[in-house]
Amino acid sequence: MNEEKLVLAGRYAVGKALGHGGMADVYLAEDRRLHRTVAVKILRTELARDTNFQERFRREAQSAAGLNHPSIVAVYDTGEETSRDFTGNELTIPYIVMEYVHGRTLREFIDPEAGMPVQRASQIMAALLSALEYSHQAGIVHRDIKPGNIMITDDGDVKVMDFGIARALSDATGMTQTQAVMGTAQYLSPEQARGQLVDARSDIYSAACVYYEMLTGRPPFTGDSPVSIAYQHVRETPVAPSTFNARINEDLDAVILTGLAKDREARYASAAAFARDIAAVMSGRSPELGEGDPQPRDDAEATTVLGAVDADRTEFLPATAAAAGAASAGRHAARPTGTLGTAPAAPVVPAPAEEEEPKKPVWLYILLGIAALAVLGAALFFLWPRDSAPATVAVPDVVNMTQEQARTTLEGEGLTPQFTPAPSTDVEADHVISTDPGAGSQVAQGSTVAVSVSSGPADSQIPDLTGMQRSAAEAALAEHGLTLAVGETVDSKEAAGTVISQNPAPGGTGKAGDTITVTLASGSNEIPDLSGLSREEAQKALDDAGFKATFREQEDPAATAGTVIGQDPAGGSGKVGGSVTVTLAKSPGQVALDNVVGMTEAEANATLTGAGFGANPTREASDTVAAGRVIRTDPEGGSLVDPKITVTIVVSSGPATPTPASTTPAPSTTAPAPTTTPAPSDPAGGDGDDQG
């Protein structure tokens, strides 16, 4: 698009870039009609020529526009902007106007070195699954669930965005005839990796990958290339997440691995079912592991019918995966575990021949002996006299108490407090934020209770706001827990609303809630006086003041060519970005030189200087022209010359060789003829004697 067109549809004023993606760029914008800040996603110019990308972009608008859910980024409007490329061809570039979310992507909250707390990760999953359940009920499959498409607002809310490759459930084929794989490799469902049709359970698989990564700091599968990662999604078994995070219990392991089942039939049938099992585990209850689970979880007597093994379909798992599966099976005891939703592998026991009586193997007697010893050990354990179980006590609620009050309360219950300071904007300094275990938990007397005590708001570095628009400056301060106040507006070359200065200065520190006072540009500035400046000097003066220059020329013989002889407006205050018309002096065209030959030197000088020329007299002897009279000029009189040039005047100095004087002058034989007409210099018409 033309960079000068900063307003889309005459309504959305586009500001700074917020992010760049493979298909589109996102900009901060102001909705001038509703006076609110929005985000505008614009299809990249180089992709606007591709009808497939245009269709994907329009599909995103259609998919998200009808979704009204608190955990889905809202779409307010769509449109198209017409532009031309460098060849002059017309381009139609679509855009989407969306809700502007103050926050960061989930990707920024995932620490590769340490998993997220289980409680927080489960809260995020609850919101994500709620959004997916809503979109699935509306008939929309997202197809690209990943941490980069999940926003966490400054208030901790979850927002799902980017339905750029979403599809309706009724039209779940690929967007191209080649059935190209769409999605991000680390979160790709097996059916997406195979290029098969997708449904709501594909989003559930991707969501399980995100949950896995939040809890462990790494996705279920990693590799050197997207192809190798996609292969693992199709063929390999993920390691149980508790391997990387000891805080994950066996029930949560089972929930996550059910969501990661290769066979979509073995996964959760809906996002709501996935969310119910997470909530069950977090509340201490047993998960159902999918709707219509055929075998109760804790039925140790459940009978499993083993069919013949199909040798052609048997897959050998890597050693690490097999070990992880064995460990998981040990933790779940009688629960049917399986390999991510497939039938659990079982050894094949061949039936003995009917005519031959089977022999009792030696190892059977060994197992019977071990079982007898186990029964005897259990009996001794329960019958042997022992001390009674230690007394337990409920952890008291000390939240919002001072540190000393909390110490007194906990020690009064026989507990040992361990205080740790932590910054907080919600809890007053020196007051308790939380305890671990939480209030009401039953613990043994003498146990240690970890107590988090507020140290007050954390110090935050003050960002540099200079050059930002007011809305962008407010967003930058909000990220640091700071607020903006406008002190004054001043004339400047910057656009209206631009931050000129701030107090306190950038680089310092402030506490959450502190106010940063800014000085904004008024949008107007003083127009400089350009009189007598050259074109280059006038251009620089206007640039420095924030104005545009428009130059024109005008003939002026009295001024130096190329200098300013006028401007409009002539001065005062003007709107920044406005244009000032500057008039430059231009030399007149060539003129005819006056003929001064025969005039006296004084007359010639007066004539030439009166016409704007300079005069440079020189002397030359002449036998034909009287002394003091002009012999000739250079250039010659009557020729076309540039104005204001200097004309060389050649003045007669008289004859070259004077006549020798005699002692007695010869008498004149001829009387001077009487003058019949007045000389030119005697306008009164006097006689010749007056001319002497």
Side-chain angles (χ1 to χ4, degrees):
M1 292 185 301
N2 191 335
E3 293 182 354
E4 295 182 358
K5 295 181 180 178
L6 300 177
V7 180
L8 300 175
R11 174 177 178 179
Y12 304 106
V14 179
K16 71 171 184 177
L18 296 176
H20 303 281
M23 186 174 70
D25 299 324
V26 181
Y27 298 87
L28 187 71
E30 179 186 1
D31 184 347
R32 292 180 173 177
R33 185 176 302 170
L34 299 180
H35 304 289
R36 64 181 176 185
T37 300
V38 296
V40 177
K41 178 182 286 190
I42 304 175
L43 181 65
R44 294 175 61 177
T45 305
E46 62 269 25
L47 302 179
R49 302 178 184 87
D50 191 320
T51 56
N52 287 329
F53 280 105
Q54 285 194 351
E55 176 62 21
R56 280 183 59 183
F57 200 79
R58 293 190 182 99
R59 189 181 301 277
E60 173 177 359
Q62 295 168 359
S63 299
L67 299 179
N68 183 15
H69 188 276
S71 292
I72 297 177
V73 174
V75 170
Y76 298 142
D77 193 9
T78 63
E80 294 180 342
E81 188 75 10
T82 301
S83 179
R84 293 187 182 275
D85 61 14
F86 66 94
T87 62
N89 294 325
E90 188 174 275
L91 293 177
T92 299
I93 303 178
Y95 62 87
I96 301 173
V97 182
M98 307 179 298
E99 171 188 5
Y100 173 59
V101 179
H102 288 271
R104 295 178 291 168
T105 66
L106 177 59
R107 167 64 56 208
E108 299 176 64
F109 289 88
I110 296 177
D111 183 359
E113 303 298 327
M116 189 182 293
V118 176
Q119 184 72 27
R120 179 56 180 150
S122 299
Q123 290 171 347
I124 294 173
M125 276 299 293
L128 170 60
L129 292 172
S130 174
L132 289 178
E133 179 69 15
Y134 178 85
S135 68
H136 294 164
Q137 291 292 335
I140 300 297
V141 182
H142 189 288
R143 302 206 306 172
D144 195 18
I145 294 296
K146 59 184 178 181
N149 281 340
I150 302 169
M151 292 287 294
I152 306 298
T153 70
D154 294 340
D155 297 329
D157 296 330
V158 177
K159 293 280 187 178
V160 182
M161 60 181 181
D162 196 358
F163 280 75
I165 60 175
R167 296 287 294 186
L169 287 168
S170 59
D171 183 25
T173 59
M175 291 196 61
T176 64
Q177 293 179 353
T178 58
Q179 293 290 306
V181 176
M182 293 184 180
T184 304
Q186 286 87 347
Y187 315 96
L188 209 63
S189 67
E191 55 269 22
Q192 285 176 285
R194 294 189 183 101
Q196 298 173 342
L197 302 184
V198 301
D199 59 17
R201 291 167 295 182
S202 303
D203 281 349
I204 291 172
Y205 184 94
S206 300
C209 291
V210 172
Y211 195 22
Y212 190 109
E213 185 173 1
M214 282 194 290
L215 292 172
T216 65
R218 47 161 290 164
F221 300 110
T222 58
D224 297 331
S225 68
V227 173
S228 67
I229 297 173
Y231 175 84
Q232 295 176 67
H233 279 294
V234 174
R235 306 290 293 178
E236 296 189 7
T237 303
V239 177
S242 59
T243 305
F244 305 105
N245 186 347
R247 292 173 293 180
I248 300 174
N249 61 29
E250 59 182 18
D251 285 333
L252 193 54
D253 262 347
V255 169
I256 296 172
L257 294 177
T258 300
L260 289 174
K262 305 290 185 199
D263 181 1
R264 73 179 92 185
E265 296 296 333
R267 283 179 221 149
Y268 289 103
S270 66
F274 196 175
R276 282 197 300 270
D277 267 5
I278 293 175
V281 172
M282 297 308 297
S283 63
R285 294 180 285 109
S286 299
E288 297 179 2
L289 298 181
E291 297 177 348
D293 189 5
Q295 292 183 344
R297 175 180 178 273
D298 294 321
D299 185 3
E301 300 299 322
T303 301
T304 301
V305 180
L306 301 178
V309 175
D310 184 352
D312 293 335
R313 299 185 59 184
T314 302
E315 296 178 8
F316 292 92
L317 301 179
T320 55
S328 177
R331 287 194 301 269
H332 288 267
R335 180 191 311 164
T337 55
T339 304
L340 298 185
T342 61
V348 179
V349 182
E354 293 182 0
E355 65 276 9
E356 183 179 353
E357 182 181 354
K359 297 180 180 179
K360 293 183 174 60
V362 175
W363 56 265
L364 180 60
Y365 296 103
I366 297 175
L367 288 178
L368 291 174
I370 294 173
L373 290 174
V375 172
L376 178 60
L380 291 174
F381 176 80
F382 287 106
L383 297 176
W384 195 267
R386 62 176 66 87
D387 295 334
S388 59
T392 61
V393 62
V395 177
D397 185 2
V398 295
V399 173
N400 287 323
M401 290 186 183
T402 65
Q403 180 170 326
E404 286 307 313
Q405 290 172 337
R407 184 192 304 278
T408 301
T409 302
L410 291 171
E411 290 179 348
E413 297 293 335
L415 302 173
T416 303
Q418 182 178 10
F419 297 99
T420 303
S424 174
T425 58
D426 301 322
V427 179
E428 184 181 352
D430 194 45
H431 285 63
V432 175
I433 302 172
S434 62
T435 61
D436 185 17
S441 301
Q442 292 291 329
V443 296
Q445 283 189 343
S447 297
T448 298
V449 177
V451 184
S452 178
V453 179
S454 172
S455 58
D459 290 344
S460 178
Q461 187 173 25
I462 299 173
D464 186 0
L465 309 176
T466 306
M468 293 184 182
Q469 283 290 306
R470 175 175 178 172
S471 58
E474 288 178 334
L477 291 177
E479 292 180 359
H480 294 76
L482 306 172
T483 57
L484 180 142
V486 177
E488 60 178 340
T489 57
V490 298
D491 287 350
S492 167
K493 71 173 183 178
E494 304 295 337
T498 302
V499 176
I500 305 300
S501 62
Q502 65 186 85
N503 184 30
T509 57
K511 294 187 178 296
D514 284 357
T515 298
I516 308 300
T517 303
V518 299
T519 299
L520 300 180
S522 65
S524 299
N525 203 8
E526 191 73 19
I527 299 174
D529 182 10
L530 310 174
S531 300
L533 300 181
S534 66
R535 179 182 180 123
E536 292 76 15
E537 292 170 337
Q539 180 73 64
K540 184 177 185 306
L542 290 175
D543 287 344
D544 291 344
F547 298 100
K548 297 177 181 179
T550 301
F551 292 97
R552 67 184 187 90
E553 293 183 324
Q554 177 179 309
E555 290 187 358
D556 188 346
T560 302
T563 60
V564 177
I565 59 174
Q567 67 183 77
D568 183 26
S573 181
K575 184 178 180 181
V576 171
S579 180
V580 176
T581 301
V582 182
T583 304
L584 301 174
K586 175 183 178 183
S587 298
Q590 291 187 321
V591 296
L593 180 66
D594 292 336
N595 189 0
V596 295
V597 173
M599 294 183 183
T600 65
E601 181 179 346
E603 292 170 341
N605 276 332
T607 299
L608 292 175
T609 56
F613 299 103
N616 180 27
T618 62
R619 303 287 175 178
E620 182 180 300
S622 174
D623 294 333
T624 60
V625 179
R629 298 278 178 174
V630 177
I631 303 170
R632 64 181 180 277
T633 60
D634 185 19
E636 295 180 354
S639 62
L640 294 176
V641 296
D642 293 332
K644 298 186 180 182
I645 67 168
T646 298
V647 180
T648 300
I649 307 172
V650 181
V651 181
S652 173
S653 59
T657 305
T659 304
S662 60
T663 304
T664 302
S668 175
T669 61
T670 305
T675 303
T676 60
T677 58
S681 62
D682 185 8
D687 58 22
D689 292 339
D690 293 335
Q691 302 297 318

